[in-house]
Amino acid sequence: MVDLLHFILPLFPFILFIIFLHNRRSTAAPPPQKTLPPSPRKLPIFGNFHQLGTYPNRSLHSLSKHYGHLMLLHFGRVPVLVVSSADAACEIMKHQDLIFSNRPKLHIPDRLLYGSKDVAFTQYGEHWRQARSICMLQLLSNKRVQSFRRVREEETSVMIDKIKQMGSLSSIINLSEVLVRITNDVICRVALGRKYSDGGEGKMFKELLGEFLELLGSFSIGDYISWLSWIDRVGGLDARLERVAKLFDEFLEGVVVEHRRRRKDETVRGDGAGEDQGFDFVDILLEFQRENEGTSPVEDDTIKAIVLVIIFSHSSLLFFIIAYIYARM
């Protein structure tokens, strides 16, 4: 008993202090509740997933009519703000952009784009600012865009000749196929240095790009309900993701090695191209990497990720253009 008292007595002031803090916290005024946008009733764990339906765009439009232009949904554990008016979108993107500028870390883009080292899916921070600056000043400046005018003109001439040839053989021409081909050819020449549309290599690249785009548009339940992430493994999504990421990495690694070897040979011969002659995006990024070694975030994985997202963004834009044309017909 004496030993027990010797053990308890030194702790007695500490116990009294804990009791005092608990009583003070329980009697204090509750913290003010945040004013949140209106939200439809959600299910435990799954949130509002059940209200998206087969056509999420139509479901969100219908919900916005009832809950307003700013609406809060919960996709699993992730709160999502749905904006359904131009004025609200302008306020968020123009006047409150710093508050809403961050991006969630998603499983599929993170694996396909080297840990989200690109500019579209990387989280807001120093890497995003530097990657964005490189894209805007080195790749997409007005001078750089004009330097690729010859590529666009050449591929447009090839497209016109192709349409004439197809018109002489048939009265029906698949313009979607023609537009996809010219866009891919221009982007591949600008970004990678040559076309990947003919032969076995072109077929492989087209199929791989199609899988890449499909995966980026896929749904990973682990991003929203973490303890259900095993479904992605059982369903084969993770295996497919690993396969496409590995194949694209091997392809892009070959492109980077080929560009380094070509520029090295040109330097040895003394017949290297000028700044805007013969340079594609990989050349430009490799040159920037060499000139800013040690101070630049442009590693080889960053180069691959930026080139990939540029190819992906132009392919997606073409898809929406074609969809819009067909919708207007």
Side-chain angles (χ1 to χ4, degrees), residues 26-298:
S26 61
T27 57
Q33 295 293 322
K34 294 182 179 179
T35 303
L36 298 176
S39 176
R41 186 166 297 180
K42 61 179 180 178
L43 293 177
I45 301 175
F46 295 100
N48 300 107
F49 270 130
H50 65 290
Q51 293 172 307
L52 291 182
T54 308
Y55 302 100
N57 56 326
R58 297 181 184 179
S59 301
L60 292 176
H61 176 66
S62 177
L63 287 171
S64 69
K65 288 184 176 180
H66 181 73
Y67 293 97
H69 296 310
L70 284 178
M71 175 176 57
L72 180 64
L73 300 182
H74 292 83
F75 296 159
R77 61 184 175 82
V78 180
V80 178
L81 180 66
V82 180
V83 183
S84 305
S85 74
D87 291 340
C90 180
E91 177 67 23
I92 287 174
M93 296 181 181
K94 186 175 181 181
H95 303 297
Q96 308 292 336
D97 55 319
L98 289 180
I99 298 175
F100 293 93
S101 59
N102 205 2
R103 298 159 176 78
K105 195 173 182 65
L106 301 176
H107 174 55
I108 294 177
D110 197 60
R111 181 64 187 90
L112 290 176
L113 296 168
Y114 302 90
S116 300
K117 290 184 178 179
D118 62 305
V119 70
F121 291 96
T122 189
Q123 292 185 306
Y124 181 77
E126 185 61 27
H127 178 85
W128 176 85
R129 284 189 289 270
Q130 293 191 36
R132 178 181 178 274
S133 175
I134 290 168
C135 287
M136 297 304 297
L137 299 179
Q138 302 294 327
L139 303 182
L140 302 176
S141 66
N142 185 58
K143 180 182 177 182
R144 189 69 69 185
V145 171
Q146 291 302 319
S147 72
F148 294 115
R149 179 176 179 177
R150 178 180 56 84
V151 174
R152 296 191 295 271
E153 291 176 345
E154 289 177 359
E155 293 304 323
T156 301
S157 298
V158 171
M159 180 190 70
I160 293 173
D161 293 339
K162 186 72 174 179
I163 291 175
K164 289 179 179 179
Q165 182 182 357
M166 295 169 64
S168 63
L169 299 175
S170 173
S171 59
I172 300 176
I173 300 175
N174 188 343
L175 286 180
S176 296
E177 183 180 332
V178 174
L179 290 172
V180 168
R181 184 185 179 94
I182 184 179
T183 302
N184 287 340
D185 287 346
V186 170
I187 295 305
C188 285
R189 286 186 63 183
V190 168
L192 305 174
R194 66 185 181 92
K195 295 189 286 188
Y196 292 89
S197 57
D198 298 318
E201 190 177 35
K203 182 180 179 181
M204 182 274 293
F205 178 79
K206 184 178 179 181
E207 291 176 353
L208 195 56
L209 182 60
E211 280 198 85
F212 180 88
L213 295 173
E214 185 178 341
L215 281 171
L216 273 182
S218 299
F219 173 79
S220 175
I221 193 169
D223 287 333
Y224 302 95
I225 307 174
S226 56
W227 60 273
L228 290 179
S229 58
W230 57 269
I231 294 178
D232 294 333
R233 294 191 296 273
V234 174
L237 177 64
D238 283 356
R240 187 182 174 199
L241 188 62
E242 290 296 322
R243 181 180 63 84
V244 172
K246 183 175 181 295
L247 290 174
F248 242 125
D249 180 62
E250 292 174 353
F251 168 75
L252 291 172
E253 182 64 27
V255 171
V256 170
V257 170
E258 179 186 352
H259 278 66
R260 280 202 174 107
R261 182 171 58 246
R262 188 180 71 230
R263 289 298 166 187
K264 183 178 179 181
D265 294 342
E266 290 174 351
T267 302
V268 171
R269 294 195 307 266
D271 59 351
E275 181 183 359
D276 293 327
Q277 298 177 355
F279 263 45
D280 52 63
F281 282 177
V282 176
D283 284 322
I284 295 165
L285 290 170
L286 287 174
E287 184 73 10
F288 184 86
Q289 180 191 60
R290 186 185 64 81
E291 293 176 352
N292 298 272
E293 187 175 2
T295 62
S296 167
V298 180

